[in-house]
Amino acid sequence: MASYMNKFVGAAYPVHSPIENILPKPEPTGVDLYSRFFLAGALCCSITHGALTPVDVVKTRIQLEPTVYNKGMIGGFRQIIQNEGPAALLTGFGPTFAGYFLQGGFKFGGYELFKKLIVDQIGMEKAREYRMPVYLGASALAEFFADIALCPLEATRIRLVSQPTFANGLLGGFARIAREEGLLGFYAGFGPILFKQVPYNMAKFATMEVVLEKALHFTNRTKESLSGSEATAYNLGSGLIAGFAAAIISQPADTLLSKINKTKALPGETTGGRLVKFSKELGITGLFTGLTTRLVMVGTITAFQFAIYGGIKKSLNATKSTEISK
């Protein structure tokens, strides 16, 4: 018993040598490092997407019912509050937070991992020369795995937003889809979500890297020379531009994803066939319905994601990501 207590107390209240407080702590590497990237990405995405749930509710309604919600973003807010009450703006918060926690971890952590793996394969010199393909390849691979985690929760969120009486929250909606439609119900939108998210993520990370590199070059600064507040400002500005680019590129797929998840497929319908059908019905104008709202949403989300991600990485001492910018 005494031995057990000594081990317990020693582990809980270790006595450190004074020199330990002077020497720098070793920086994390390997699994430890990339798990910190995962946590930082999970937190930054779940916080930002969760906070903007009301904007996403309005955007989804505009996409799915453009003849009803035809008064823009502010008008959409007013319509929903007037017809359903303020609480309706938080519809889908549960699956949004949970889904983007998982997706954010795989997205950001995966991007850091795949970027390093690619650099290890081709060498730093070639990676710097062909850094755009490296950014695009790493972000595409990361997003593929992130979407496997996100898709069931995104399907639940869209069903809750598009059909307010479908279920009471995340668990009820998730259970109903599982019971009535099975695994295919969760992954009916997997093709469209890849079609939307992979180009989105490629544009997001590649634009961020390029804009940040140009901004640092223009001001004759390096990442290492930036103070905490300066790094946040650079990340916010670069992230905002990256968000705009990503929103425009992925808008048609975002609209199609909302349409596919709103209703069940007819007997014999394939996902590809439904995509073609909805595209013809909507036309170019319809595919870009709600773009203004989405620019606000995605631009804001992306800017704050990169700012929060950088801050959390620093607090976790996970600053040694693979850098290939010139």
Side-chain angles (χ1 to χ4, degrees):
M1 181 66 179
S3 174
Y4 173 80
M5 288 301 295
N6 286 338
K7 287 181 181 179
F8 176 80
V9 173
Y13 304 100
V15 178
H16 295 285
S17 165
I19 197 169
E20 291 184 39
N21 297 322
I22 300 172
L23 295 174
K25 294 181 180 180
E27 293 184 341
T29 58
V31 174
D32 185 17
L33 175 62
Y34 288 92
S35 65
R36 298 183 193 212
F37 289 147
F38 183 98
L39 178 59
L43 289 173
C44 80
C45 284
S46 58
I47 290 169
T48 51
H49 279 277
L52 285 174
T53 296
V55 178
D56 202 31
V57 169
V58 176
K59 172 191 72 70
T60 302
R61 294 288 182 88
I62 291 172
Q63 288 174 328
L64 296 178
E65 301 178 78
T67 57
V68 177
Y69 298 95
N70 55 8
K71 298 177 182 177
M73 182 171 66
I74 302 301
F77 272 103
R78 289 173 178 166
Q79 284 177 276
I80 292 172
I81 293 172
Q82 183 179 357
N83 297 334
E84 303 170 45
L89 292 172
L90 292 177
T91 303
F93 174 80
T96 296
F97 188 92
Y100 283 97
F101 184 91
L102 291 174
Q103 194 230 26
F106 284 109
K107 181 199 297 275
F108 281 85
Y111 176 69
E112 301 279 11
L113 176 61
F114 286 119
K115 188 166 61 167
K116 182 183 187 308
L117 292 175
I118 292 171
V119 171
D120 287 346
Q121 287 295 313
I122 66 175
M124 182 58 76
E125 186 176 340
K126 271 195 173 180
R128 286 205 169 119
E129 184 179 355
Y130 299 103
R131 58 193 183 284
M132 183 57 72
V134 174
Y135 296 147
L136 294 173
S139 56
L141 287 168
E143 188 60 40
F144 176 81
F145 291 100
D147 289 343
I148 293 174
L150 172 66
C151 198
L153 291 154
E154 180 69 356
T156 305
R157 180 196 70 80
I158 291 176
R159 195 68 62 85
L160 292 173
V161 172
S162 62
Q163 301 175 28
T165 60
F166 182 75
N168 293 321
L170 167 59
L171 295 179
F174 195 91
R176 182 173 173 182
I177 294 174
R179 183 175 63 252
E180 296 181 1
E181 302 172 44
L183 186 64
L184 291 178
F186 290 120
Y187 284 95
F190 185 60
I193 210 172
L194 286 177
F195 180 55
K196 164 195 165 184
Q197 289 292 133
V198 170
Y200 165 87
N201 206 45
M202 292 167 73
K204 171 179 173 177
F205 278 97
T207 304
M208 172 67 185
E209 295 273 19
V210 170
V211 172
L212 183 57
E213 179 183 324
K214 297 295 183 185
L216 290 170
H217 179 74
F218 180 76
T219 56
N220 198 27
R221 302 292 298 276
T222 63
K223 288 184 180 180
E224 293 74 17
S225 70
L226 299 176
S227 66
S229 59
E230 287 175 331
T232 299
Y234 274 84
N235 285 333
L236 279 171
S238 302
L240 183 64
I241 297 172
F244 287 158
I248 293 168
I249 287 172
S250 62
Q251 175 65 19
D254 185 65
T255 302
L256 290 172
L257 178 64
S258 295
K259 294 285 286 184
I260 275 187
N261 278 301
K262 182 184 179 183
T263 55
K264 298 179 185 178
L266 296 174
E269 269 193 324
T270 64
T271 300
R274 296 176 75 197
L275 285 174
V276 172
K277 181 181 76 172
F278 289 139
S279 297
K280 288 180 178 178
E281 289 176 358
L282 293 167
I284 297 297
T285 303
L287 288 171
F288 282 91
T289 298
L291 179 59
T292 302
T293 306
R294 194 157 182 269
L295 281 170
V296 173
M297 178 182 169
V298 174
T300 304
I301 281 178
T302 306
F304 281 102
Q305 275 180 1
F306 280 112
I308 294 170
Y309 180 64
I312 294 176
K313 281 204 307 180
K314 187 173 182 180
S315 68
L316 293 175
N317 194 30
T319 56
K320 290 299 181 184
S321 57
T322 302
E323 295 290 345
I324 59 175
S325 58
K326 289 187 177 179

